[in-house]
Amino acid sequence: MLFELIRLEFLKSFRSTSFAKSVMVAIFLGFLAIMLLGYLLITGIFLNRILQALAEGQDSIVVLNSGLIFFFLVEFMYRYFLQKLPVIELESLLHLPISKRKIMHMLLGRSFFSPLSIIALILFTPFAFTEISIQYGVAGAVSWLGTLLFISWTLHWFMLWFKQRFEDSLIGVVIVFVILLLGGGSTYMGWFNLGELVAPFFTLAMSSFVPMAIMLVLCFVGYYMAFSYYLNNAYLEDLAKEEEARFVNQSVGFFARFGMAGELANLEWKLIIRHKKSRTFLMLSAFFLLYGTIFYDNPAYQDGPMRNIFIFVGIFITGIFMIQYGQLFLSWNSGYFDFFLSRRDGVKNLVRGKYLLLLSISLLCFLLSIPYVYFGWSFLLIHLATFLFNAGVMIHLIIYLALWKPKPMDLNKGAMFNYEGVGAAQFLMIIPMMVAPYVIYLPFAMFFNFYAGLAALGTVGIVGIIFFNKLSSININRVLKNRYEISSSFRQEL
């Protein structure tokens, strides 16, 4: 029966109208995966030297055991964004005269065969048999490596359950943020060192098989938890919980004040929450709010020319959602663009609604970045100036570039390694986005001082806000002029 299911999946892929494109994409992603896994293997081979360089004079094994928990926190994060859910295949299998239990075992088993499942194996195997085996023997190396593998595989099964259970709810977002803050933030802020607290468990794994046995049991528990949940919800309509539906249908009352454009902004917000790709962009925007912690507390960037990088960081933090979501400006609506085309002022209100949404979330990003004042009041001024510049200038520039031959895309697919809707404009727009703020900032910063550059940047942004209607009409008229060409391109098969 297993081979029959595999045969049906093969026929499904082979008979697809986009089979050739799927093969090309698979070849490209396969080449990319092999290249990345090759880099991981090289890193694993030289891991001991890397650790000795980072922690000179310390035992590499002790250092690695203290940092392993952070590796698994990173694995939790990239699995959250990259790992695909097998439940999407149910639609094509549930009508067949096959036991649901067999279907679930096949889908879960197939999800395990992924490059994500061998990252820990490739990265830590060379270290286990070149360093740990010398001090603790081959048995110690096998026990330690087995513990790491079972932790990684437990995360695989846990993530299958977690994403299906919580991905569309506010609870899931809160859990991910709490894990990120408690895991990485606690050590960064000096509250407690999570690595040192967990290190004894990995140290014990080198002299005892108990940790490996514990993780083996947890791995089976994780599989059973995922299997039971998928089996009990093996009907597509059962996978949408009532409380999750309420969450994704929440309206933003603030938008109602702006007429039809506000109503469309509200609909756009619901689109973001409901669909996987747009929701991933929103999540990434929230995570990138922490981008400033890399630079603002680093002495290397406090004085001299390197201080100018703070402008880019400020543009990035206060405009990250505008940059990510805005670069695919109309592609988000490719599936129903004709609806707006057939309504009076439909396209105009759609564009205005998107403007309103991008500005609102950028304002929210600025407000959420206020705690950076902890590093100094100058960082609050940086974020204020860059937010004004984003709102008055950058938003028009991003949208103007995004309107160059927009492409259709499927909203239900994930954001990672998904290039639907992406064209040459999305790759080229990074250049003017990086150059534009410095064109205003650098002359004043070089001839006067840092704060004069910020004042110039903020002033230009305020002027752009004052003339917002005239500047936005340029992009609105451009959409209206090319609306039939855009509509025709959106009807093309993905």
Side-chain angles (χ1 to χ4, degrees):
M1 187 59 67
L2 176 62
F3 292 104
E4 178 65 16
L5 288 171
I6 295 174
R7 187 184 70 86
L8 291 174
E9 287 296 298
F10 175 77
L11 291 176
K12 173 187 171 184
S13 301
F14 184 77
R15 292 169 178 173
S16 172
T17 55
S18 58
F19 174 73
K21 180 179 178 181
S22 299
V23 170
M24 294 301 296
V25 171
I27 292 174
F28 171 76
L29 293 180
F31 173 78
L32 184 63
I34 292 174
M35 183 178 66
L36 294 177
L37 292 176
Y39 288 144
L40 280 176
L41 179 60
I42 295 173
T43 303
I45 293 173
F46 293 98
L47 185 58
N48 184 48
R49 295 185 183 181
I50 295 172
L51 293 174
Q52 289 178 349
L54 294 176
E56 189 175 353
Q58 300 184 43
D59 189 343
S60 299
I61 297 178
V62 175
V63 174
L64 181 58
N65 284 339
S66 298
L68 280 174
I69 186 62
F70 301 107
F71 167 80
F72 290 115
L73 285 173
V74 172
E75 181 171 0
F76 177 87
M77 301 309 299
Y78 69 65
R79 282 189 181 276
Y80 181 80
F81 289 109
L82 295 178
Q83 190 165 313
K84 294 182 179 180
L85 299 177
V87 74
I88 58 175
E89 306 293 339
L90 286 177
E91 185 177 12
S92 60
L93 296 175
L94 282 179
H95 68 285
L96 298 174
I98 304 174
S99 168
K100 285 189 294 184
R101 300 179 68 88
K102 294 181 179 179
I103 294 176
M104 290 304 142
H105 282 304
M106 189 275 289
L107 293 179
L108 291 175
R110 194 182 67 173
S111 73
F112 184 75
F113 292 94
S114 164
L116 299 181
S117 299
I118 60 174
I119 287 178
L121 179 66
I122 291 177
L123 184 59
F124 296 115
T125 296
F127 187 87
F129 291 100
T130 57
E131 301 299 328
I132 294 179
S133 62
I134 295 177
Q135 298 186 34
Y136 297 91
V138 176
V142 171
S143 175
W144 180 82
L145 182 61
T147 302
L148 302 190
L149 290 179
F150 287 130
I151 293 175
S152 177
W153 296 342
T154 301
L155 284 175
H156 172 83
W157 304 123
F158 172 78
M159 191 56 64
L160 290 181
W161 171 82
F162 178 82
K163 289 185 70 173
Q164 189 59 62
R165 178 66 181 84
F166 293 112
E167 187 180 35
D168 292 336
S169 68
L170 184 60
I171 297 175
V173 177
V174 171
I175 291 175
V176 172
F177 268 102
V178 168
I179 291 176
L180 177 65
L181 292 176
L182 291 181
S186 60
T187 304
Y188 180 83
M189 300 300 294
W191 300 334
F192 57 88
N193 192 321
L194 186 62
E196 293 182 357
L197 294 176
V198 182
F201 179 79
F202 297 110
T203 302
L204 178 62
M206 295 184 294
S207 57
S208 171
F209 285 98
V210 172
M212 186 174 71
I214 292 174
M215 294 316 306
L216 175 61
V217 172
L218 289 179
C219 186
F220 280 110
V221 170
Y223 180 85
Y224 178 77
M225 185 169 60
F227 174 78
S228 298
Y229 185 82
Y230 277 62
L231 183 65
N232 294 332
N233 296 274
Y235 298 96
L236 298 181
E237 63 273 14
D238 290 343
L239 295 176
K241 301 296 184 182
E242 182 180 353
E243 60 270 18
E244 294 173 358
R246 287 200 300 265
F247 172 66
V248 300
N249 284 290
Q250 287 293 322
S251 299
V252 181
F254 166 77
F255 291 144
R257 304 179 181 180
F258 297 90
M260 183 55 67
E263 292 295 329
L264 292 178
N266 207 5
L267 288 174
E268 192 85 6
W269 169 252
K270 293 179 181 179
L271 176 149
I272 292 172
I273 298 299
R274 288 174 180 171
H275 293 93
K276 183 178 295 185
K277 184 168 183 175
S278 53
R279 191 170 59 243
T280 301
F281 275 44
L282 185 64
M283 287 288 297
L284 287 174
S285 299
F287 287 126
F288 280 126
L289 287 175
L290 302 174
Y291 190 60
T293 58
I294 301 175
F295 299 94
Y296 291 164
D297 197 33
N298 192 330
Y301 299 100
Q302 299 299 321
D303 299 305
M306 293 302 294
R307 192 181 189 186
N308 295 328
I309 199 174
F310 292 157
I311 302 302
F312 171 75
V313 177
I315 291 287
F316 192 79
I317 290 176
T318 60
I320 178 60
F321 183 79
M322 179 189 299
I323 295 171
Q324 288 192 110
Y325 193 81
Q327 67 177 335
L328 301 172
F329 190 66
L330 288 180
S331 295
W332 300 107
N333 309 97
S334 59
Y336 48 90
F337 184 77
D338 287 343
F339 170 81
F340 298 101
L341 197 64
S342 62
R343 297 296 186 273
R344 181 179 181 183
D345 293 331
V347 174
K348 182 185 296 185
N349 287 321
L350 172 66
V351 177
R352 287 177 176 173
K354 286 177 172 289
Y355 263 109
L356 177 60
L357 179 67
L358 294 177
L359 287 174
S360 300
I361 297 183
S362 293
L363 176 60
L364 179 62
C365 290
F366 167 69
L367 295 176
L368 292 175
S369 71
I370 290 178
Y372 276 115
V373 74
Y374 169 82
F375 296 107
W377 287 98
S378 60
F379 297 107
L380 179 61
L381 296 178
I382 291 172
H383 289 177
L384 177 60
T386 51
F387 164 71
L388 292 173
F389 188 78
N390 280 333
V393 178
M394 288 293 288
I395 186 171
H396 305 292
L397 180 61
I398 292 170
I399 294 174
Y400 184 86
L401 293 172
L403 292 178
W404 186 52
K405 296 183 178 180
K407 300 180 181 297
M409 67 179 178
D410 185 354
L411 296 179
N412 291 311
K413 295 183 179 179
M416 299 300 176
F417 301 108
N418 181 1
Y419 299 101
E420 290 180 358
V422 177
Q426 281 67 41
F427 289 101
L428 295 176
M429 68 169 55
I430 189 64
I431 299 175
M433 284 194 301
M434 293 183 64
V435 172
Y438 285 102
V439 169
I440 306 299
Y441 163 79
L442 282 179
F444 290 90
M446 293 174 61
F447 286 101
F448 298 99
N449 55 43
F450 176 75
Y451 296 100
L454 290 181
L457 201 63
T459 301
V460 171
I462 292 174
V463 172
I465 294 174
I466 293 174
F467 293 97
F468 184 85
N469 288 334
K470 291 186 177 180
L471 292 174
S472 62
S473 64
I474 297 175
N475 286 326
I476 292 174
N477 292 333
R478 190 176 176 207
V479 175
L480 291 173
K481 180 181 179 181
N482 301 315
R483 59 187 183 275
Y484 297 113
E485 180 182 348
I486 294 172
S487 177
S488 177
S489 67
F490 284 164
R491 296 192 196 102
Q492 297 175 8
E493 182 181 0
L494 290 173

